[in-house]
Every structure is written in C-alpha cells, then in structure tokens.
Amino acid sequence: MESMLGVLDAGCILCPVNWRWSVQEVAEAMSRLSPALPQLQLLAPACGTALIVFTSGTTAAPKAVALSHASFHAQSLAKLALVGYSPADTYLHLAPLFHIGGLSSAFAALMAGCAHVFLPRFEPAAALAVVARRRVTAFIAVPTMLQDLAAAAAAAAEATAGSMAGSTDAVARTFPYAELISAYGMTEACSSMTFRHLRSPAATTGGGAHAVASAAQLWAPTGPPSTTAVAPAAVAGLAAGSAVCVGLPGPGVQIQISPMEGQDAATVPTATATTGTEGPSGGGAQQGPAVGEVMTRGPHVMRGYWRDSEATAKALTPDGWLRTGDLGFLAGDGALWLLGRAKDMIKSGGENVFAPQVEAALTSHPAVAAAAVVGLPDERLGEQVAALLVLRDGWSFDGPTLAAPHEGAPYAGDGGQGGSGSAAAVPGEARGISLAALQAHCRAQGLAGFRLPRFAAAQRGPLPANSSGKVQKPRVRELLAALRAGALAGDAASGSSVRSRL
C-alpha cells in the first residue's frame, strides 16, 4: 500500500496487476502499457490519469481502464457518505488491490483515517481469526467470500459447540452485529454506482424503533424492494429471481436506461435516475420503466481505455455516458434492477432471450445446482440457446457430460454440490434427468418455446469463473461448442442426442 501511494504521490500512473495471471498474460499487459520511469520531479501525469486498472474479463479479455484522481475522490466521498468509514474503524483488506472494488474501498478507508489490516491472500479461517484478534470493524467481500467465511465459522462452532442448524441467514449468524450493504459497479465506473442497505444490527440485536438509522439505510432503505405497478411489460414474463434489485445511485451518480441496439426508441421510453444533495429521485418512471442497457454519467466515469481509442468510442458517448453492457430497468422509486449482461442476450430466431431468465428456470429444478446459458452459432436460428449445468449429488444427466473442470482454472457456482466423478456413473440411487425433461420444466416455469435450451451439457464441478468469482461465459461457450461439435467425444461418450426436437 505504501508503494502504491508513493507512485501516485510522485505523479506516476499506477497499474496494479493480478498476481494470478500467467507469465504470458503479464507480458501482454506490459506490452500494452509500455511502462517507463519518468523524471522524479513530475508532479502530475500529463494525461490526467492516476491509475490504470484492468477489468476482470467476464465477457472478453481484460481491458486497461484509465481512471483519474477525480474519479477516485468522488468514489471515496460516496463511500464515506453511505458506508460510513471513520477513524474509529479497522479496515481488513480481503478484496485484492488489483481489482477496482478492493482498490477504491482502500482509498476510501485511507481518506477516512481507518486503521488497515492486511492478509497475504484470502483464507476464510485466517480471516476470521484476524477479525477477532484485530477487532476488525469493516471489510468488503464478494458473495462467495461471505459464504466461505460463514462456512468456516459454522465449522469452527460445530467442532466446539455442536451443530448450528436452524439459522436461515448464514451471514447474519456469522456477523450478528454487522451492517450489510451491497453495491453494484464496474471498473470503468471506478467501482460502485448504486448502493442498497440489506440489514442493520438492529434487525438482529433488537435495537427496535429507537435504533439510529445509518446513512445507507436512510438513502436506500432496508426491505424487500417491490415492483408493484411499476414493472414493465417486457419483464412480466421473467422467471422468479432473474431480476435483482441493486439499490439507488450514489451521490452525484446518474443512471440511465437506454434502448439497446436495434430497439425502437419511439416505443421504448428512456428512464433516468439521478442523485444530488436532496437524495435520489426517479426521472422517467411516470410512463413505466423500460428494459434496456444501463448507462451512467458523472465524475466517477473512466477517462477511457488505455491507448485504445476504438474501444473507448464504443464505451463512452460524446455527451459522457458510459455504456455498462448490463441490462436492467429503473423502478418507480429510482431503484435499479439488473437482468444480466447485454452480451447475455441471445438472438434466436429473431427473438431476444435473456440468459439469466433461462438460468433461473433451470436452477429451480432439483437436479441443477447452477447453470450458465449462452448462445451458440446456428445456421437457421442465428443463435441456439445452450446451457452448461452443474448437477447436484444423486443426479445424472442423459446427455453430454464433462467429467471434471478443465485446465485448473478457478470455478464458482456449484452451490456446495461440487465433487469429482463422471456423470455417467453416479454412486448410489442416482436419478436421471434429460434435456427434454428440463425443457418441460422450463415451460412449466413460464418460458416460451423459443427461450428453451436446445442443447445442454452437464458437469460435476462448479462453473468456470475468473478471480472475482464471475462466471466466464466465453469459456462456457467454448466448452459447449466443442461438445456440440464432438471435439470432446471422450468426455461425452455416454451422451444422447445433441439437439432437441423443438
């Protein structure tokens, strides 16, 4: 951390690099950045860039994002206002400093005057020990890390005091006196754009009506969000759980929903939410929100992609709006709801298919612990809806099956059902599931015929993920395309027909 601050203080551009990258990936990043040692009297970079932060590469190769001092300053002020870091806090660095989440929160904690505690890498048991020993009061973590912490705490308690069964909120059980705040953001927006208050200590400790509400709770109140009377018709048919409320824009952050490419702007109104000193407000909710691409504008937005003017022009509009690549809508209260990545929208037979909607329907089946849905090229349909499934224990799939995760990459999303072994031979009384049965289940969940998966494969291990825990859809697409083409015939020897009869 001291070295990072020294680099910035010298007026240099800082670029944290993911230590999990291969030598080849680091070499490629270095060639793109062309680092050089400037004269030491330099007080500020001529281009106005403070840091170059690589994206996590969820849908494509990581991009080098140029961020200004002003962006980090605006982000830190938003976090101080809503998260409430203060000099009384001890901040634990669980999130890596080469990703924007950990980096921006670290700067906010520095601005607040927090004490800082570091770990070489995230290990749940070690993190819990440090929380107790150092009296940690604040940290950020992705959902998988919170699950790991809760599991480690439950295991420790089970070893000393018996089972902890009966609690339905693992995170609240592990940190009963904690305030939980979620945030939605991206590297190009210098981290968080919206905030949502999930729970407060009063909900668990019985603080009652006299408990003092936090800034985040006042800004984005706790409680299940409702889309009653404001849900757009385009979302009415979504499967349960496929739309997620991510809260309200932070101070000074503008959020806009714009028609996607090819959408009729005359029939799809643009909805906007913005925040100022008087709090959030919904701008275009009178006509009902529309589904489209989430866009944002404000001092938090990146300067552009480093030495990539073409990609920058695609991401930033002339009037300063950043295209996030996410699909969503704004409810009447100004809250943002996400449906998934725009690249997750599959064009099949001239119809739009939202991958998260299909994934939600598939994972509602008892055989499926997790699912990743992508579009595969198809001569007749343009794209074919395809799914990679993670099977729960005790189930087998009557179709192409991967025996184990490939290439030793990080994986996520097994819902605690991971394990090795072939899906063709499951120990015990295995129950079988077929593509046709899954299609029937999806129909029962309300999916139209054109949204049903036409090809599916299964595996025992979790889905491929990057270092942020996000599913790598390009890798899923490669695996499914290879299976469909028969390139992995050895792994799919017991498979059934590749195509359905739809």
Side-chain angles (χ1 to χ4, degrees), residues 127-478:
L128 288 174
V130 168
V131 167
R133 187 170 67 252
R134 299 292 186 181
R135 298 183 180 273
V136 169
T137 60
F139 65 82
I140 71 164
V142 297
T144 52
M145 295 169 70
L146 287 176
Q147 293 168 7
D148 290 344
L149 289 171
E158 218 173 290
T160 58
S163 174
M164 294 182 67
S167 175
T168 58
D169 189 343
V171 175
R173 182 185 62 203
T174 308
F175 304 105
Y177 301 105
E179 181 178 22
L180 190 60
I181 302 169
S182 69
Y184 156 66
M186 60 191 305
T187 307
E188 289 88 341
C190 199
S191 192
S192 306
M193 294 178 279
T194 66
F195 297 83
R196 182 182 172 200
H197 186 273
L198 299 180
R199 66 176 296 276
S200 62
T204 301
T205 60
H210 299 292
V212 178
S214 68
Q217 190 172 5
L218 293 172
W219 189 269
T222 306
S226 172
T227 54
T228 305
V230 297
V235 187
L238 286 177
S242 59
V244 178
C245 180
V246 293
L248 295 160
V253 175
Q254 288 181 287
I255 296 291
Q256 174 176 280
I257 302 299
S258 292
M260 295 171 289
E261 186 176 352
Q263 220 171 18
D264 186 356
T267 59
V268 182
T270 296
T272 304
T274 185
T275 57
T277 57
E278 298 180 358
S281 62
Q286 293 82 357
Q287 300 179 6
V291 172
E293 183 177 12
V294 179
M295 301 180 73
T296 185
R297 184 171 65 178
H300 59 295
V301 171
M302 69 172 182
R303 297 179 57 82
Y305 294 114
W306 184 253
R307 295 178 179 172
D308 194 339
S309 56
E310 183 178 352
T312 298
K314 290 180 180 178
L316 294 174
T317 67
D319 54 349
W321 287 97
L322 169 67
R323 298 182 176 93
T324 67
D326 290 326
L327 292 173
F329 63 91
L330 288 168
D333 59 357
L336 176 64
W337 289 71
L338 293 183
L339 299 171
R341 295 289 293 169
K343 290 184 179 180
D344 280 348
M345 186 179 69
I346 302 164
K347 296 284 289 187
S348 183
E351 300 283 358
N352 290 337
V353 179
F354 292 98
Q357 180 183 4
V358 184
E359 290 164 355
L362 288 169
T363 53
S364 66
H365 191 283
V368 182
V373 172
V374 297
L376 297 181
D378 186 271
E379 291 184 2
R380 185 173 67 88
L381 298 173
E383 283 188 303
Q384 179 190 67
V385 181
L388 179 59
L389 312 172
V390 176
L391 295 178
R392 294 188 184 276
D393 291 338
W395 288 87
S396 64
F397 181 62
D398 183 18
T401 303
L402 293 170
H406 288 259
E407 296 184 2
Y411 282 73
D414 66 341
Q417 301 294 327
S420 60
S422 169
V426 180
E429 297 293 331
R431 291 170 289 179
I433 187 68
S434 65
L435 176 59
L438 288 173
Q439 290 170 341
H441 175 78
C442 289
R443 280 189 184 276
Q445 297 299 305
L447 292 190
F450 64 84
R451 302 188 198 277
L452 303 181
R454 305 293 185 98
F455 174 76
Q459 65 180 37
R460 286 288 158 196
L463 298 170
N466 60 23
S467 58
S468 298
K470 299 176 183 177
V471 176
Q472 290 182 313
K473 288 297 182 78
R475 178 59 179 150
V476 171
R477 191 173 290 107
E478 289 175 8

Side-chain angles (χ1 to χ4, degrees), residues 3-242:
S3 299
M4 296 173 64
L5 295 174
V7 169
L8 292 171
D9 192 49
C12 302
I13 298 174
L14 176 66
C15 180
V17 175
N18 190 335
W19 56 266
R20 299 187 182 100
W21 282 355
S22 66
V23 174
Q24 181 179 352
E25 289 171 323
V26 173
E28 181 182 345
M30 295 289 283
S31 66
R32 290 164 62 185
L33 298 174
S34 302
L37 182 65
Q39 295 181 356
L40 294 182
Q41 65 266 28
L42 181 66
L43 297 179
C47 62
T49 298
L51 286 93
I52 298 173
V53 184
F54 280 92
T55 63
S56 59
T58 306
T59 57
K63 297 184 178 71
V65 177
L67 297 166
S68 67
H69 286 276
S71 293
F72 279 98
H73 187 259
Q75 181 67 206
S76 294
L77 290 176
K79 283 185 165 67
L80 261 63
L82 298 181
V83 180
Y85 295 131
S86 77
D89 281 318
T90 297
Y91 179 86
L92 174 61
H93 291 261
L94 291 183
L97 292 175
F98 53 75
H99 282 321
I100 192 61
L103 198 57
S104 65
S105 292
F107 286 144
L110 277 170
M111 180 180 283
C114 303
H116 291 252
V117 178
F118 295 87
L119 284 174
R121 65 177 63 194
F122 174 70
E123 294 179 356
L128 288 174
V130 168
V131 167
R133 187 170 67 252
R134 299 292 186 181
R135 298 183 180 273
V136 169
T137 60
F139 65 82
I140 71 164
V142 297
T144 52
M145 295 169 70
L146 287 176
Q147 293 168 7
D148 290 344
L149 289 171
E158 218 173 290
T160 58
S163 174
M164 294 182 67
S167 175
T168 58
D169 189 343
V171 175
R173 182 185 62 203
T174 308
F175 304 105
Y177 301 105
E179 181 178 22
L180 190 60
I181 302 169
S182 69
Y184 156 66
M186 60 191 305
T187 307
E188 289 88 341
C190 199
S191 192
S192 306
M193 294 178 279
T194 66
F195 297 83
R196 182 182 172 200
H197 186 273
L198 299 180
R199 66 176 296 276
S200 62
T204 301
T205 60
H210 299 292
V212 178
S214 68
Q217 190 172 5
L218 293 172
W219 189 269
T222 306
S226 172
T227 54
T228 305
V230 297
V235 187
L238 286 177
S242 59

